[in-house]
Amino acid sequence: MVAAMPATAPAGLDADHDALPAVPTTRSHALASEDFGEFVVAALPGLLRYGHALAGNPHDAADLVQGVLERIGARWSTIVRRTGDPLAYARRAMVNAHVSRWRRTRRESLVADLPDTSAVWQPDKFADEPLWQALRALPPRQRAVIVLRYYDDLSEAEIAHTLGISRGTVKSQANKAMSALRTRMGATAEGRGR
Amino acid sequence: MTTDERDSGRPDPQRDLDAELRRLFADDRLDVPVSRHASATVVAGARRRRRNRMAMATAGGVAAMAAIVFAAATLSGLVHPTDRVSAADPSSGIVLSTTITTTTPTAAPPSAQADSAAVLGPDGYGDLLLGMSWQDALASGELRQSAPLSSAGCLRYSVVVDTPVRKLPVTPTPNASGSAPATALPPLPVVAELVVSVRNGVVQVIAGPLLRTPEGVGVGTSRDVLADVYPKLVAPTRGGAAVTAVVANPKAVYMFDLSGTGVVTSFSLRLAKSDCLG
């Protein structure tokens, strides 16, 4: 079982690094790993936070981020050229991946791995946060609308564009979400009697 | 910590909720710590996908790449390596050669290979038992307070055990904002978390990834195996946890949180009914 980190970066990464041209050529399948690597280092913390807000737990957040970043990396030069803003593109891709994940076949989890490769385990930090639990209970698209509005501060039109839905749908999803949250929070406040 | 016990004369509940949501999304607890190999893992994964698309690698080349990616650590300490099993190589099956299989997809539950020190349930963890008084729990010497006494008379403790658990490769990592960790020493691994009621004692033991139920279920177990092992399992409603009674302890239940990919991310042993339990 490979529990330890490799002493150097994965084989192949270092070897190719020196051979890469500074600017990716159109013909070669060289990945501009320099730029992409720097992008990943800079973007990871923020994207993970975003993923955490979207997915409701750190596991799925890391899943989401890794999947999106790998796909972006595989087409890095194209994405940079076409969008000019790979970070915004990544966030949009994460939202859409999150919303559509329920329809995709889930990946086989074939083994329950021994946990000794994890770093220090942290218990659920939001266990005492009723609003967080209420958010997690929302269906994925409603939660995405809430995250886009209150985390990303997007307008209704921008949310519609990001999700590829109409403004009317955004409005109704938002209303449903807020109403559900309000109901839950009201119930929590009564039930707890703190 | 402020809750919603604010002035009830506030005329606009909508504005309250707006503000609460913004506050929540600005919370530090949203940070997800990653190992320092995370970006290398992602870059390697991107290369792998690109090469797969090129469809030029030989079978051996794909296997080597997949094994290397797998070996290159998980993205974050909280994610199991198995989550990285490649969706792009479903037919290769090669990645699995680097894992150790502890469960099978059949009805046979994972055997409790772990020694008794790593079992949670049916009564508790080691000498920390459900229902044990607060004072007795403290006297074990294994607790470190992790949340202050709440107004409802509840506390939380981390169970820290200075035993073989230490062999975990705890790598000091920069925290999410990039600064170095405050201490040079790796923190004591937390084996479990205790929820204690001042009145009723230990009411819940939340398992860390090292612990398993007596039936061998733990963090990382798939939903299918879970349902096999506990036929009376009550499936979660959206956002909730799967629950099952504990056979040998009529007062207790297990609760299992499942990730979007159908894998147990955390579980706990708790009293079926008590104060201090949400």
Side-chain angles (χ1 to χ4, degrees), chain A residues 1 5 16 45 48-49 52 59-60 62-63 66 70 74 109 111-112 115-116 121 125 129 137 150 153 182, chain B residues 14 18 22-23 25 27 29-31 34 47 49-50 53 73 75 78-79 82 84 102 169 176 209 238 260:
Chain A
M1 162 93 170
M5 318 279 189
D16 285 354
L48 283 167
R49 270 187 68 88
H52 195 182
H59 275 77
D60 290 336
D63 226 31
Q66 177 149 358
E70 284 184 359
S109 177
V111 297
D116 36 301
W121 167 69
K125 300 180 207 170
E129 188 69 69
Y150 292 102
D153 278 321
R182 238 175 269 121
Chain B
Q14 171 64 32
D18 276 18
R22 286 183 207 281
R23 177 192 62 80
F25 288 138
D27 199 313
R29 289 175 291 175
L30 272 182
D31 289 341
V34 289
R47 290 182 150 255
R49 285 181 190 250
R50 196 178 174 95
R53 278 199 310 135
L75 180 64
L78 298 171
V79 176
T82 52
R84 301 280 79 79
T102 57
R238 193 182 289 124

Side-chain angles (χ1 to χ4, degrees), chain A residues 156-173:
Chain A
E156 192 178 88
E158 288 169 324
I159 295 174
H161 176 71
T162 300
L163 292 175
I165 57 182
S166 73
R167 287 180 65 163
T169 308
V170 172
K171 231 193 281 274
S172 77
Q173 291 284 294

